[in-house]
């Protein structure tokens, strides 16, 4: 007998969003977290546009927007020219500065409110895979225990016990660069988004809600494989003066830390009934604040597929598409992070010349700005269809179309596809496809964005990506839709 349908290991943002999504779809879930309380130190600080859109597709984005500090751009490799996120085709064309501790608190509140169980102070020691379930072994305050579930998901970080126990290789490159950060009070703070780069190093300053600033940087002596010891306030002050010419009146450190550029990617994201998401699947230098956001998108992709199979309206083979779709995103993540490290450590004359050239290109080529911003913000993620003849929108992120008096995001649900009749009800036969796991909505879009003006009908997945589309001037869409559903619906 199963204790839960899914066991999620790791109570960070990725595991908590996964748990909340599973509960929205009616799946019983428990989150196992070794910490007894949330870590007040906030490793992740940036919430990107696609993550806010994902929250908006469940109607839970407002607390994040209200508490976070909106910033109009981001950086690529800490170049002098910052990326302008205001150009992005999103209702949230900005990043939010929000400490991870608050992100976790908000997500935990959601998960608990939806009925998820959270076991704090429990450590997963391993698991035993069976034909029809997974037995997850725990140690906790009351000793050893075993939970039985249909599936196990490791959201347990770079040292993932789940990944190790599953025997999934995670190859990559060791650390050769040490970055550092300090969350401190600044009596003389710089302008938001300020950064400095030169022969003496790199320094970035980011405002954090609560009157704190995060100073992040690298100096030439940090290009090392030798651990120099814990970061001190005196060293942080020395680095700031060397790079920016001032210590900004820093005092009262909340957190001081170092981090490396170890880069690794799991060979596979699925092993039978076991899955990996977030840092358990990909480790990289935290350039641009993308890590937590990519992990939440992992969870968004996996959750609906687990729910669809467990609720009986999709075959188990749908779960294979989790690796097929998200592993390439991990490849891109690790490659992009490595490229940014190269730019962020280019302290020599030639490297600084390369940085200036790249910065000028971003200024001169708006399309380059938009591409990099969309990539960092996860808006550019697309899942290539198996059918080369599929509509060009297939696999892309669906925008927040205005349909009648509502937006598309408000129509999405965690437990079903959304079939849009965008002719306002003139597409014959689409209504017959309504069933468990698929809802139909009719209405003509108002001012549709590029690529959507001639779309007659579209099938949108629970995670907001287009599964199928048909143009107004094409043939009867019913046959094509039936084919598209054949591999995802029983």
């Amino acid at each position: 007998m199963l204790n839960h349908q899914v066991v999620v290991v790791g109570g960070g943002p990725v595991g908590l969003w996964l748990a909340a999504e599973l509960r929205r779809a009616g799946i019983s879930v428990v989150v196992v977290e070794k910490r007894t309380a949330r870590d007040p130190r906030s490793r992740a600080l940036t919430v990107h546009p696609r993550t806010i859109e994902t929250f908006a597709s469940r109607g839970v984005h407002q607390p994040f927007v209200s508490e976070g500090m909106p910033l109009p751009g981001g950086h690529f490799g800490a170049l002098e020219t910052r990326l302008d996120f205001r150009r992005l085709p999103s209702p949230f064309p900005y990043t939010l500065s929000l400490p991870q501790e608050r992100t976790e608190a908000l997500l935990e509140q959601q998960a608990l409110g939806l009925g998820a169980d959270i076991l704090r102070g429990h450590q997963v020691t391993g698991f035993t895979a069976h034909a029809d379930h997974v037995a997850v072994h725990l140690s906790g305050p009351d000793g050893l225990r075993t939970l039985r579930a249909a599936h196990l998901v490791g959201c347990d970080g770079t040292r993932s016990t789940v990944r190790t126990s599953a025997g999934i290789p995670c190859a990559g490159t060791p650390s050769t660069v040490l970055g550092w950060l300090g969350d401190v009070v600044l009596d003389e703070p710089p302008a938001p988004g300020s950064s400095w780069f030169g022969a003496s190093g790199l320094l970035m300053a980011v405002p954090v809600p609560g009157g704190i600033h995060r100073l992040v940087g690298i100096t030439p002596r940090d290009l090392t494989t030798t651990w120099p010891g814990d970061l001190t306030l005196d060293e942080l002050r020395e680095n700031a003066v060397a790079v920016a010419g001032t210590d900004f009146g820093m005092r009262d450190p909340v957190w001081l830390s170092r981090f490396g550029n170890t880069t690794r990617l799991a060979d596979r994201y699925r092993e039978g009934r076991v899955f990996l998401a977030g840092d358990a699947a990909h480790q990289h230098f935290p350039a641009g604040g993308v890590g937590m956001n990519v992990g939440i998108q992992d969870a968004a992709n996996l959750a609906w597929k687990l729910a669809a199979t467990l609720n009986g309206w999709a075959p188990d083979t749908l779960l294979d598409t989790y690796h097929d779709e998200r592993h390439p995103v991990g490849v891109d993540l690790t490659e992009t992070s490595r490229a940014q490290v190269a730019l962020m450590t280019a302290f020599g004359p030639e490297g600084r010349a390369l940085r200036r050239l790249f910065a000028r290109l971003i200024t001169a080529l708006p399309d380059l700005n938009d591409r990099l911003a969309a990539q960092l913000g996860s808006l550019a993620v697309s899942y290539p269809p198996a059918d080369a003849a599929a509509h060009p929108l297939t696999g892309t992120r669906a925008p927040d179309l205005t349909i009648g008096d509502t937006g598309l995001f408000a129509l999405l649900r965690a437990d079903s596809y959304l079939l849009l009749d965008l002719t306002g009800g003139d597409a014959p036969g689409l209504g017959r496809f309504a069933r468990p796991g698929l809802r139909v909505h009719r209405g003509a879009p108002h001012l549709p964005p590029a690529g959507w003006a001639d779309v007659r009908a579209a099938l949108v997945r629970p995670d907001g990506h287009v599964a199928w589309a048909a143009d107004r001037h094409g043939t009867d869409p019913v046959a094509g839709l039936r084919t598209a559903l054949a591999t995802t619906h029983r």
Side-chain angles (χ1 to χ4, degrees), residues 5-6 22 27 150-151 270 273 275 302-320 487-488 490:
Q5 290 172 289
V6 179
L22 290 171
I27 302 301
H151 297 287
R270 181 188 187 187
R273 294 181 174 272
F275 300 83
L302 177 60
W304 74 269
K305 295 173 180 178
L306 285 171
T309 56
L310 290 169
N311 284 330
W313 58 264
D316 182 79
T317 52
L318 177 65
L319 295 174
D320 291 332
T487 58
T488 57
R490 293 186 185 278

Side-chain angles (χ1 to χ4, degrees), residues 348-373:
E350 293 82 5
R352 297 201 302 275
L354 175 62
R355 288 176 54 87
R356 290 191 295 270
L357 173 61
F358 205 159
R360 289 197 301 270
L361 289 174
I362 292 175
T363 301
L365 302 173
D367 287 348
L368 178 57
N369 170 92
D370 297 351
R371 172 62 192 179
L372 291 174

